[in-house]
Amino acid sequence: MVMEVLSSPGKISMSNRCFARISGFIQSNFGIKLPEVKRTMVESRLQKRLRVLGLRSFDEYGDFVFSPEGISEELTHMVDLITTNKTDFFREPSHFNYLYNSVVPELIKKSGAGMRKPLRVWSAGCSSGEEPYSLAMVLSEYAARNPGFDFNILGTDISVRILEKALKGIYREEVAEPVPQPMRKKYLLRSRSREETLVRIKPALRSKVRFRRLNLMDPDPETRTPMDIIFCRNVIIYFERAVQEEIVRKLCRRLEEGGFLFLGHSETLHGMSLPLRVVAPMVYRKEL
Ligand SMILES: C[S@@+](CC[C@H](N)C(=O)[O-])C[C@H]1O[C@@H](n2cnc3c(N)ncnc32)[C@H](O)[C@@H]1O
């Protein structure tokens, strides 16, 4: 039997068997690759769950998390800790310019999306909300200059903790620095506590974004409403190539013909056979 060892005072290490069990489960259920080099990260992120639950080893933790009780309660905490939620307002800013100047006018011209019916945008893997709120700011600016234009945004993620943060829409002021000054004034409220200055998304902007938990590995996520635009940036980078292709194929099924898919800057679809063509760096259009 592999023994749990204390590698440094107070820090519990994970056995090979337990790491294989957790990483295998995460990869097959959520797509996220956890190769051996990620073991230290997994250990340190899950360490505090052992303390909270009063467990002495990761083997005990593994037995608990995969028990019927653990699956219904502890799994949510494990997923919250394992996912990497790094994000920013206006991350990869060229995408937001392209959206405003090219994508929205093109969709209005092609199908009237945004004018005859609200434009539908999905931020898949939205983390704590910075991406969908950036989209809401840009599209609100478009609406201010183009009467009759309307939109709604769906933000989804697998992590419950991060979605709670997104729903609140409250951030440290430094986090909002990438928001262009005129938009900060229009869409954010400042509030100062003794410790820090916070900004809050104004209710009118918040009302344009809905959030819900959704696993992109689900067989056919959210099949009902077809989307005009999907942002799925810096999410599939954590998946195996075959899984990336499978997920992008599902996203394509959710996209209207002529709709646009935005990916992160290091997520290439090169060599995959998908009904998409490149229209700008990491922007794809579903074939008409
Ligand atoms: C690095 S963040 C990217 C956030 C944002 N799209 C951006 O580019 O700034 C990746 C997000 O994908 C989410 N994620 C990972 N696997 C997922 C899955 N199987 N289904 C849905 N969301 C997932 C994570 O929880 C995390 O919040």
Side-chain angles (χ1 to χ4, degrees), residues 29-32 79 83-88 91-92 123-128 130-131 156-159 162 214-217 231-235 237-239 247 264:
N29 287 279
F30 305 105
I32 302 164
V79 172
T83 51
T84 297
N85 312 114
K86 190 198 156 0
T87 187
D88 271 316
R91 185 176 195 181
E92 297 166 24
S123 166
C126 65
S127 189
S128 36
E130 288 87 333
E131 180 177 271
T156 65
D157 202 282
I158 192 66
S159 163
I162 213 73
L214 183 145
N215 182 359
L216 290 168
M217 293 289 281
F231 271 56
C232 185
R233 306 184 311 160
N234 310 299
V235 179
I237 191 169
Y238 300 103
F239 301 168
I247 286 186

Side-chain angles (χ1 to χ4, degrees), residues 200-213:
R200 179 191 297 266
I201 307 288
K202 286 193 183 174
L205 195 81
R206 257 202 353 246
S207 72
K208 303 301 289 176
V209 188
R210 283 181 302 130
F211 290 101
R212 54 173 289 219
R213 183 169 192 256

Side-chain angles (χ1 to χ4, degrees), residues 173 176-188 190:
E173 193 180 38
E177 260 161 32
V179 179
Q181 194 60 40
M183 291 196 203
R184 265 192 244 177
K185 278 218 176 96
K186 246 169 149 173
Y187 303 115
L188 304 178
R190 281 177 97 225

Side-chain angles (χ1 to χ4, degrees), residues 3-63:
M3 299 290 290
E4 302 288 340
V5 286
L6 282 173
S7 57
S8 62
K11 184 175 174 293
I12 301 167
S13 297
M14 193 177 279
S15 67
N16 292 339
R17 186 182 76 92
C18 184
F19 180 68
R21 202 174 173 197
I22 289 180
S23 59
F25 181 87
I26 293 286
Q27 180 156 347
S28 49
N29 287 279
F30 305 105
I32 302 164
K33 286 183 287 185
L34 289 175
E36 180 58 34
V37 289
K38 295 276 174 81
R39 184 201 286 242
T40 318
M41 178 206 89
V42 173
E43 280 173 352
S44 66
R45 289 189 183 180
L46 292 182
Q47 205 79 227
K48 68 171 152 206
R49 292 309 300 161
L50 263 61
R51 280 198 301 277
V52 170
L53 297 165
L55 302 176
R56 283 169 312 160
S57 74
F58 278 113
D59 279 347
E60 279 181 33
Y61 181 77
D63 290 341

